[in-house]
Amino acid sequence: MDFAGSLPSWPSGLSAAARTVWAKHDFDSEGWLPLWRHMADSAAVAERLWDEWVPDRVRQLVAAAVPGGAGDARRMAVWLAAVHDIGKATPSFACQVEGLADAMRRAGLEMRLQKQMPDRRLAPHGLAGQMLLQEWLVERHDWGKQATLQLSVIVGGHHGIAPTHADIAELARHRSLLRTRGSEEAWRGVQHELLDTAAAVCGVRDRIADWRTMALPQSTQVLLTGLVIVADWIASNPELFPYFPGERGSDPERIETAWRGLDLPRPWVAVEPEAGPDGIFATRFDLPAGASPRPVQEAAVTMAREMAAPGLMVIEAPMGEGKTEAALAVAEIFASRSGAGGCFVALPTMATGNAMFPRLLDWLNHLPDARVETGAHSVFLAHSKAALNERFTELMGAGRRALAGIASDGGGDHWAHRGDAHAASAELVAHHWLRGRKKGMLSSFTVGTIDQLLFAGLKSRHLALRHLALAGKVVVIDEAHAYDTYMNAYLDRVLEWLGAYGVPVVVLSATLPAARRRELVRVYAAGDSSSASAESDAVFDSVREAQGYPLITTVAPGAAPRIAVPGASGRATSVRLERLDDDVERLADRLELELDGGGCALVVRNTVRRVLETAAVLRKRFGDAQVTVAHARFLDLDRSDNDARLLAEFGPPGKAADRGGMRPDKRIVVASQVVEQSLDVDFDLLVSDLAPVDLLLQRMGRLHRHQRGLGQCERPPRLRAARCLITGVDWDAPVPQPVRGSRAVYRTYPLLCSLAVLEPYLSHTSATGSTVRLPDDISPLVQHAYGDQVVAPPKWAEAMAEARTAHETHQAEQRYKADAFLLNRQARPGRALVGWVEAGVGDVEDSRGGKAQVRDSRESVEVLVAQRRADGTLATVPWLSPDRDGHARGGLALPTDAAPGARLARIVAACGLRLPPEFSDPRTLDAAIAELEADCFPAWQTKEAHWLAGELILVLDENRRRRLAGYELHYSRSDGLEVHRVR
C-alpha cells in the first residue's frame, strides 16, 4: 500500500509497561510526555516536513537511494523520526526522574537509582537507541549487524554527533545500561513492542526485508539525519506539543494545531521562464526600455538550458559586467530543473553580504513564485551581525506573535506568524524558528559570508543540518578568486559534497586563475560517481587550457566539461600604468597636479596604517573636506554609512542621485581593500599599492567604471584617459621591493609575480606600451601571474626562486592546518556515518573565533564602543546617524546600574569594532580582555540585556581615547580607530 496521507493513530493496545516509559519531563510543572506519544508526534511532524517543507531535490535524492523509490523514501524518513528516541526506553535514561522511574518499576521495569549508575554517561540516549535499533533489526528482521549501521547511526546521531566505533564498543561492554540485570526480558519486551508499533504505524513492517541489501550513500544518511533532527526539535517544543500523558496517539487535532502554529513557509517551487534571455532580464532586473542583457548574461542562460542536467557553472567576466544577475537567472533555471527549493549566495565579507541582501530581495519580488497567493518564502541573512541589519530586522519583525514559543538554538525568540494584517501581505518573511547559527541556513533564500558555506566542510556538531540546508538549494559563490589555500581546502571539500548531492552551483569571478578553475570543476565532478572525473583527471585538462574572456565553464552530472566564450559587451577601458615612488609628499604633489581641474581620485593602501598616514598628509595639502577615509576599522554603523556615502557620491550615474548623493567636483578617497569587491563605485584616477595582479585588476575595475558622457566628456579634461599609478614599491632596488606592510598581507612571491607580468607595461622602453586594456588583458595577466613559470627579468631569478620556495612552504602549511578538522570525503555507499565528525570542533560559532576555524587567521577581539561624557555619565557615541525612521541614535544616555532598553542595547550592539592585529598576540590579547572585563557593567550581563550580555565594552573618554594593554586608542568619525603603542 502506498504510504500517503495522515498517519493512523497509534494503537491504544500498548502494554501498561510500555505506556509508563517517559520521554519528556518539566520539573517546574511536573508535566511529562510518554515516549510513545513523542514517537507519534515526531513521526507526524516528519510526515508534514516531508510533504510540505522538504524541497523536491532532497526527496529525489533519498528516493534514488532506497529500493522502493519515493514511497519507501517517505516511509523511511517518517519511521526514523518515530524511533529516534527509542534509547530513552533504557534504565540509564529513565532513572533521571525518580517519580517516573518508580512508576516504571511498578510496571516491571527494574532499574537502579541514578546515583547508583555512575557509568550512565556511556549510554547517551542517541547511542543507546542506535544499539537497540541494531539489535531489533538483527533479531526481528534477520539483518546483518554491519548492514544495520547505515540506518541505526541516524538514530545515534540525532543530537548532532554520530557515535564513534569506540563509543559503540564501550557501551557494548556495559549492557546493563540498556537493560537492568534480572529484568532483561521485561525491558527487551517493551523496547521491541515500541519498535514493532512504530514499524506498523509508519508502514515499514513489510518493507524492512527489502531494505536489508541496500547500500545507502553517506550523503543520503546525512540528509535523513538532518530531517530527523528538525522533526525532533519541533516535536520537542512544549508550546506546540504540550506535556500530558493522555491515552490517544498523535491525533489529527494535535498535529494540525501544532503545524498551524509553527507555520513554516513552504520551499520555493521554481518555474522555468518561457522567455528568452531578453525577457528574463527585463522582467527580473528592470532593464531600461530597449536595453538587452550583456553577452555573458545571455550565454549563461543559454548554457544553463543546454546542460543535460543542472551542475556546476563557472562564470568569468569583467567587473561590472552583471555576473550576479547572470547567476540569479541561471539559479532560476537550475532550480526549476533540479527541484531545488531555494538559493544561497556566498560572499567574502559581512559588508558584501549586507550589500547583496537587498539585491536578492528585489530579485525575489520579481519572481512569479514570490506572489502573495503562493505563500511567503523564508529568507535569512547569514552572518553574526545579521540582527543589526535594518532590512533584515524589518522582515523579522513582520507578523511577530506574542506567544514566546519556539526556542531557537538555545535562545527564546518569538517566531514569525503570517496571520496578522501586516504579515498576510508579506511575500518574504524572516521566520523566527528558522534563526540562529544552526537553523538559519534552512531558510529557503539566504545571503551569507563564505564562512557559512565553508562550515559545511568542517567537522562540527549538527553538521547534518547544514548539509540538509545546502542540498535543497542552488548555491552561488561570488568572488571565487578571493580565498587562500587554507580556505580553498574547505571550499574544495564542500564542492565535492555538493557534487554528491547534485546541488547546482554557480561560481563567479573576474580574475580566476586557470589552475583554480580546473580544480573547482574537478572537485565538484568528483562528488558525482557518474562523472567523467571518476575515470581520469585528464578530461579536465581542457578546462585549464581554455582561452578567452569572458569565459563560461560547465559540467553536468555524468558529462565532460563544456566551455563557451561569449562575445564582448563592448564595454572597454584602457588604463595607462605608471610607477610612483612610495613617498606620500610626492603622491600629494602628483594629486595636486592631476586634480587641478577637479576630479575624483581613489588611493588604495594595503594596510590601515598606510591609509591613515596617507590621509593625514593629504588633508594638510587639500583640506579635511576633500579627503575621505574608508577601511574596515570603523564601527559597524559608521562603516555601513561610509559604504552608503561612497555609493551615493561615486556610484553609477543616475543611481547615485537616487541615493540622495551628488558627485563631488573634487575629492580624494583613501581606502583599504574594502573598495575592491562588490562596491559599484567609479573614480577618475587610481593610485594603488602594489597587490597580487588579480586584486590590482579588481581595483582598476573602480576606474572609469561607468560612461560619463560621450568619450568620458563629463570628467575633467586631464582625467578623461584612465590612469593607474602603482606605488608601495622601492623601484630603485635591484629587484623592486614591495613595502613591508604589503609583504605581510600578501607575501612576497605573489607581489613579485604581479610585478613581473606588469613589467612590460611599466617599462618606459617596452614595445607593448604602458596601457592595460580592460577586459582584454585581464585573463592573460592573471593566467601568466599564476602560471607554472612566471617570466621575470633575469636579474630577479634568485629573489623569485627564494620567494617561491617560501610561498610554497606556506601553502603546504596551510593545507596541513586545514586538514585538522576537514570533513572526510564521502565513503563508498553503504558505509555508515559512524565517527563522521570524530575529533571535530564541537559547535560552530558564527563569531570571529568560529570564522578562524575556516580561515587561516589569528583570533582577534571584538568590542562594543560607548563613550564616557565629561560629567561621568555613559552614552552612545554622539555622531551616529539616525535610523531609517529618523530616530536619533547618537549621544543617547546609557544606564550602567540597569539593563539598557531594547532599542538602546541594539544601538550599542551595532557599534561593534574589531581591534587591530596588534591585539592578536596572545599576551596582548589576554591583557586586553582582562582590562575590558574589569570594566564590565553587571546589569548589562543579564537576560534582559541579551544584545549586550557576554560582550566586551570599550569605553572611550570624552576625547574618544582609551589606553588598553599598552596601546593608546583614538577613534574619530573621519578616520576610524587609530592605535599607537604607549612609549
Side-chain angles (χ1 to χ4, degrees), residues 366 596 853:
H366 284 78
D596 182 56
Q853 295 163 339

Side-chain angles (χ1 to χ4, degrees), residues 26-48:
D26 178 29
F27 282 95
D28 293 330
S29 68
E30 291 300 325
W32 69 285
L33 201 67
L35 176 56
W36 65 265
R37 181 176 282 282
H38 181 56
M39 294 171 72
D41 291 341
S42 300
V45 169
E47 181 190 32
R48 289 298 187 97

Side-chain angles (χ1 to χ4, degrees), residues 342-404:
C343 182
F344 172 57
V345 183
L347 297 116
T349 64
M350 285 191 289
T352 54
N354 286 336
M356 176 60 66
F357 189 61
R359 296 174 67 184
L360 181 81
L361 297 182
D362 187 58
W363 171 64
L364 290 176
N365 283 321
H366 284 78
L367 292 178
D369 190 53
R371 293 175 299 178
V372 174
E373 55 264 33
T374 65
H377 293 304
S378 55
V379 295
F380 188 70
L381 181 59
H383 61 65
S384 60
K385 297 186 179 180
L388 301 175
N389 181 285
E390 292 189 14
R391 190 72 183 272
F392 182 55
T393 54
E394 286 175 1
L395 293 173
M396 288 194 297
R400 187 184 299 269
R401 282 186 67 164
L403 179 61

Side-chain angles (χ1 to χ4, degrees), residues 46 237 259 395 420 434 499 583 588 822 885 913:
N237 188 276
W259 191 252
L395 293 173
D420 64 16
L434 296 171
D583 180 275
L822 187 63
D885 296 324
L913 176 70

Side-chain angles (χ1 to χ4, degrees), residues 295-300 303 314 316 517 542 545-554 562-569 779:
V296 71
Q297 296 173 328
E298 186 172 350
M303 290 191 75
V314 181
E316 299 170 64
R517 177 200 311 141
S542 63
E545 295 164 3
Q547 301 292 318
Y549 187 78
L551 192 71
I552 300 179
T553 309
T554 63
R562 291 187 58 218
I563 306 288
V565 183
S569 68
S779 185

Side-chain angles (χ1 to χ4, degrees), residues 845-875:
E845 294 184 12
D846 186 14
S847 62
R848 179 63 185 165
K851 291 178 177 64
Q853 295 163 339
V854 291
R855 295 181 186 244
D856 188 21
S857 58
R858 299 173 72 177
E859 187 174 354
S860 64
V861 175
E862 184 150 4
V863 297
L864 305 181
V865 176
Q867 185 173 5
R868 184 78 65 185
R869 295 188 287 204
D871 62 2
T873 61
L874 198 68

Side-chain angles (χ1 to χ4, degrees), residues 293-537:
R294 295 189 173 118
V296 71
Q297 296 173 328
E298 186 172 350
V301 168
T302 301
M303 290 191 75
R305 286 176 163 166
E306 290 176 350
M307 293 174 70
L312 174 72
M313 176 180 289
V314 181
I315 302 176
E316 299 170 64
M319 300 69 74
E321 197 72 2
K323 294 187 292 296
T324 298
E325 289 76 12
L328 294 176
V330 169
E332 188 176 356
I333 295 169
F334 278 175
S336 66
R337 295 187 172 190
S338 68
C343 182
F344 172 57
V345 183
L347 297 116
T349 64
M350 285 191 289
T352 54
N354 286 336
M356 176 60 66
F357 189 61
R359 296 174 67 184
L360 181 81
L361 297 182
D362 187 58
W363 171 64
L364 290 176
N365 283 321
H366 284 78
L367 292 178
D369 190 53
R371 293 175 299 178
V372 174
E373 55 264 33
T374 65
H377 293 304
S378 55
V379 295
F380 188 70
L381 181 59
H383 61 65
S384 60
K385 297 186 179 180
L388 301 175
N389 181 285
E390 292 189 14
R391 190 72 183 272
F392 182 55
T393 54
E394 286 175 1
L395 293 173
M396 288 194 297
R400 187 184 299 269
R401 282 186 67 164
L403 179 61
I406 307 170
S408 59
D409 312 330
D413 293 319
H414 300 281
W415 53 26
H417 185 279
R418 301 190 300 278
D420 64 16
H422 181 85
S425 65
E427 298 164 345
L428 306 171
V429 296
H431 196 280
H432 277 230
W433 193 79
L434 296 171
R435 286 183 62 189
R437 66 183 184 276
K438 294 178 182 176
K439 293 185 298 192
M441 289 286 290
L442 293 167
S443 301
S444 295
F445 295 97
T446 306
V447 172
T449 59
I450 188 67
D451 309 87
Q452 300 295 332
L453 182 65
L454 301 185
F455 285 152
L458 181 72
K459 290 182 179 179
S460 56
R461 192 178 185 90
H462 289 112
L463 183 60
L465 283 181
R466 195 168 293 270
H467 280 232
L468 176 64
L470 292 171
K473 291 183 174 66
V474 178
V475 173
V476 177
I477 304 171
D478 201 3
E479 309 286 4
H481 58 273
Y483 312 120
D484 62 16
T485 301
Y486 186 95
M487 296 174 72
N488 281 334
Y490 283 95
L491 180 57
D492 289 352
R493 187 56 46 85
V494 171
L495 280 173
E496 187 172 332
W497 276 89
L498 294 182
Y501 292 120
V503 170
V505 177
V506 185
V507 176
L508 308 177
S509 178
T511 52
L512 192 67
R516 185 66 191 137
R517 177 200 311 141
R518 180 188 187 279
E519 190 64 11
L520 290 170
V521 174
R522 187 193 68 78
V523 296
Y524 178 85
D528 172 26
S529 59
S530 67
S531 170
S533 70
E535 300 173 10
S536 172
D537 278 353

Side-chain angles (χ1 to χ4, degrees), residues 168-246:
I168 296 169
E170 190 65 23
L171 181 53
R173 290 191 287 269
H174 294 78
R175 287 282 180 177
S176 63
L177 295 172
L178 302 178
R179 300 184 185 104
T180 304
R181 292 188 181 91
S183 188
E184 288 95 344
E185 289 309 309
W187 278 104
R188 185 188 306 275
V190 165
Q191 292 160 352
H192 285 192
E193 180 183 0
L194 290 168
L195 288 169
D196 289 342
T197 301
V201 171
C202 296
V204 305
R205 183 171 54 192
D206 298 330
R207 299 298 305 143
I208 291 177
D210 290 339
W211 297 350
R212 279 183 300 199
T213 57
M214 69 180 178
L216 282 184
Q218 286 191 320
S219 54
T220 306
Q221 297 174 49
V222 174
L223 296 179
L224 288 169
T225 301
L227 182 62
V228 167
I229 291 171
V230 174
D232 179 34
W233 284 1
I234 294 172
S236 296
N237 188 276
E239 296 282 350
L240 295 175
F241 293 94
Y243 291 1
F244 57 91

